[in-house]
């Protein structure tokens, strides 16, 4: 309990520090005070000299009132106030020296003061808006940590590395999902893709993740986990229908690792994984693929489990269709299988880095769908865990879920 509280405190402390750092970066100046002072002084000198050269027919000094507005775009409030005060002194002094009628001088002074105050106000509004955006982004980062755990994730059986890239740069979470759970029955892994985009797709994905985290610990069989996910999507669709949203389905690949060199798989309409072993990359044949989650009523067949070989030095690569459906400038799809052969000797992290770079180069940086990739390898660290000690923490979680 003490360790858990310490971890929670450290996580919240890191989130608070991240938020404070983001807000401080927004309020920080992009230009140093010395550079700004020299630039404004040089600009003032040039404008005053031009005003003297043009004579009484053309007054150029009043144009300096735009300088505070320019500084408000990149400077701090203090810098903008300082520049506005300097410009008011210069313009007012110039106007008093050149003279004119009372109304001309008065209107010029009022316009100068008003323009400078508007520049300061614009700076304050910019910083306030940017601070709110920074706070919202910090909240989005915290939300992402609750929905999708940071990778890599290491259990008693496997080490799961991965990459995740939502299609929208300003959105940290998309419709692709993944999770790795250590349970009394081994390590359960899911990767999935929700139909559609936007917040509604994120809601469906979160429903699947929540159900998987519970069912992976509670259900002895992998088909039982898949059935629990199907129920979760059905309930979510029923609620969506009540709120006027469209129903969605989720393609998913659910795997179970129990440390005996084989893998259980239940494929719910998802892309088959790739196995990289001995310098060769090949698709894993899944012959009993069922319908996606949320569409079980359309099929009378029950979901079944398949068994796959998983050597100790092999890497199992799982991905969403954002990888296979990436296109180049000519509209050709990304040739995943031919590219994987060049990286079959790489470790998981090197493999993912090479895949990410190649995808970016192939598509020209144009992303048409969310991308989620998991590279799973049997955990090589440490000695084998004794059966009586394996997944002790997972058994505690299972007891909590079952109410024992």
């Amino acid at each position: 309990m003490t360790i858990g509280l310490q971890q929670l405190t450290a996580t919240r402390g890191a989130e608070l520090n991240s938020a404070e750092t983001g807000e401080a970066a927004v309020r920080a100046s992009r230009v140093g005070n010395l550079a700004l002072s020299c630039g404004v002084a040089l600009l003032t000198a040039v404008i005053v000299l031009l005003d003297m050269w043009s004579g009484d027919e053309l007054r150029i000094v009043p144009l300096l009132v735009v300088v505070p507005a320019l500084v408000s775009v990149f400077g701090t409030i203090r810098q903008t106030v300082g520049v506005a005060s300097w410009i008011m002194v210069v313009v007012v002094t110039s106007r008093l020296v050149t003279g004119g009628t009372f109304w001309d001088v008065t209107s010029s002074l009022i316009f100068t003061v008003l323009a400078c105050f508007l520049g300061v106000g614009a700076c304050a509004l910019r910083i306030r808006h940017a601070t709110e955006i920074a706070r919202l982004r910090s909240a989005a980062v915290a939300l992402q940590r609750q929905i999708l755990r940071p990778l890599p994730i290491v259990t008693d059986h496997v080490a799961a590395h991965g990459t995740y890239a939502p299609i929208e740069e300003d959105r940290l979470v998309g419709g692709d999902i993944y999770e790795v759970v250590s349970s009394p029955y081994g390590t359960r892994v899911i990767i999935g893709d929700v139909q559609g985009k936007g917040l509604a797709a994120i809601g469906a994905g979160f429903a699947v993740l929540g159900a998987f985290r519970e069912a992976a610990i509670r259900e002895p069989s992998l088909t039982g986990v898949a059935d629990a996910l199907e129920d979760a999507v059905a309930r979510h669709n029923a609620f969506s229908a009540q709120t006027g949203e469209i129903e969605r389905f989720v393609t998913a690949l659910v795997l179970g690792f129990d440390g005996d060199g084989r893998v259980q798989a239940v494929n719910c309409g998802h892309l088959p994984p790739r196995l990289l072993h001995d310098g060769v990359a090949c698709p894993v044949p899944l012959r009993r693929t069922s319908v996606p989650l949320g569409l079980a009523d359309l099929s009378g067949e029950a979901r079944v489990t398949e068994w796959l070989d998983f050597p100790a030095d092999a890497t199992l690569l799982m991905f969403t269709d954002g990888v296979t459906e990436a296109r180049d400038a000519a509209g050709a799809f990304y040739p995943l299988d031919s590219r994987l052969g060049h990286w079959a000797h790489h470790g998981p992290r090197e493999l993912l880095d090479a895949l990410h770079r190649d995808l970016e180069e192939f598509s020209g940086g144009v992303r048409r769908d969310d991308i989620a990739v998991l590279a799973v390898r049997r955990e090589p660290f440490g000695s084998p865990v004794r059966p009586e000690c394996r997944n002790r923490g997972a058994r505690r979680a299972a007891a909590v879920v079952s109410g024992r």
Side-chain angles (χ1 to χ4, degrees), residues 114-138:
L114 180 61
C116 290
F117 272 102
L118 288 177
V120 174
C123 181
L125 290 176
R126 175 187 65 83
I127 293 178
R128 179 181 178 181
H129 177 71
T131 301
E132 292 177 352
I133 294 298
R135 289 174 179 172
L136 289 174
R137 188 163 184 83
S138 298

Side-chain angles (χ1 to χ4, degrees), residues 210-227:
F212 177 77
R213 287 164 180 164
E214 179 182 349
I217 296 174
R218 183 190 65 228
E219 296 293 338
S221 67
L222 207 61
T223 53
V225 175
D227 291 339

Side-chain angles (χ1 to χ4, degrees), residues 165-168 175-176 193-194 196-197 320-323 325-326 366-372:
I167 186 173
E168 298 184 29
D176 291 357
D193 188 358
V194 182
K197 301 290 185 297
T320 57
D321 59 8
V323 175
E325 294 182 3
V366 179
R367 193 178 304 141
R368 295 178 173 86
D369 198 359
D370 302 322
I371 293 176

Side-chain angles (χ1 to χ4, degrees), residues 317-328:
L317 187 73
M318 298 172 285
F319 47 87
T320 57
D321 59 8
V323 175
T324 55
E325 294 182 3
R327 297 173 182 260
D328 61 9

